[in-house]
Amino acid sequence: MAAIRASGTWGSALTADEFAAVRSVGFEPVGQVFGAAVYSVGYTGYSCPGTWRPDGDQTPATQLSGRSAPGSFGPLVQAIYQARHVAIDRMAAECTALGGHGVVGVRLSRGPFPLGGARFQAIGTAVRAPGTAHEPRAPFSCDLSGQDFAKLIAQGWVPAGLVLGISIGSRHDDRNTARQTRVWSGNAEVAGWTELVSESRQDARGQLEGDVRRFGAEGVVIATMQMRVRERDCPVHVGRRDHIVESTVIGTAIARFSAGEPRHAQPALAVMSLDPQRRQAARIRILGCLRLPLWVRSRWARRDGPIRR
């Protein structure tokens, strides 16, 4: 990083339009930054969600990672959070080494590693506002494009950091679910699957809100909302299936730095010319473009009376 900073050149992952948009709000790129982490996730303790009810009841229920109940995917989600934050922190460290104030256009990705485990990486472009009197304590990061970042700054908002909301929910397909999904059951809601989808999404949003509060931000703009559904053989009940839903919400926490209204917040005011000669000449030009009878054009041209010099 020191060699790149001393070279006097910079690289970026910005398009030409993004570069122009970032420059239009007083920022300039200082280099492309990258952070990665490869994690090997150990045993998660997952079991059938229908056998881990807090009240001891053995009836099936939706198990969520955010509740940290025995048999849930809580340890797996914690590992995903930790790996992504490590990758983001390493990317931010490179931004600081280049003298940047923040990172725009961050792209988070996750995939398998050939030798085992999961690979997490974050890549973006570090930017800096020249002439800033106070250096930030920590660089911000956002997954906004250069154009969206410029719009945010122009409206008096600043990104605080990337925020994540991840939840994995599981539910055992009991007899009621099997009965509701039969071909001859007709059009009917599968209550268990609806509960699984709804509660997993709500748990992910709750995790996202906690991340926003951690940054001390006022709100969040969402970039990605994903939901993946899969099924697997139940590890406890032979011949039964469990459904698993993974909900992921990624966005940018934002905070207001200017209370001023945008310049064009007031409605536009139409003003007509008060000069009768100019108004009469404009009317004659308009009449010349219209195919109207001569007597109509002459009468309309004399609406304001004769032109006085």
Side-chain angles (χ1 to χ4, degrees), residues 115-167:
L115 300 180
R119 169 186 52 82
F120 300 85
Q121 67 179 31
I123 185 171
T125 300
V127 296
R128 177 180 177 84
T132 303
H134 302 283
E135 294 290 330
R137 290 179 297 177
F140 66 82
S141 59
C142 68
D143 53 5
L144 301 172
S145 65
Q147 294 92 327
D148 291 339
F149 172 75
K151 293 176 183 178
L152 199 69
I153 297 295
Q155 292 296 319
W157 294 81
V158 63
L162 278 170
V163 288
L164 310 172
I166 305 172
S167 175

Side-chain angles (χ1 to χ4, degrees), residues 62 171 176-177 180-181 188-198:
T62 298
R171 186 178 179 88
N176 291 333
T177 303
Q180 293 171 347
T181 55
E189 179 186 10
V190 185
W193 292 353
T194 299
E195 178 184 330
L196 174 61
V197 170
S198 301

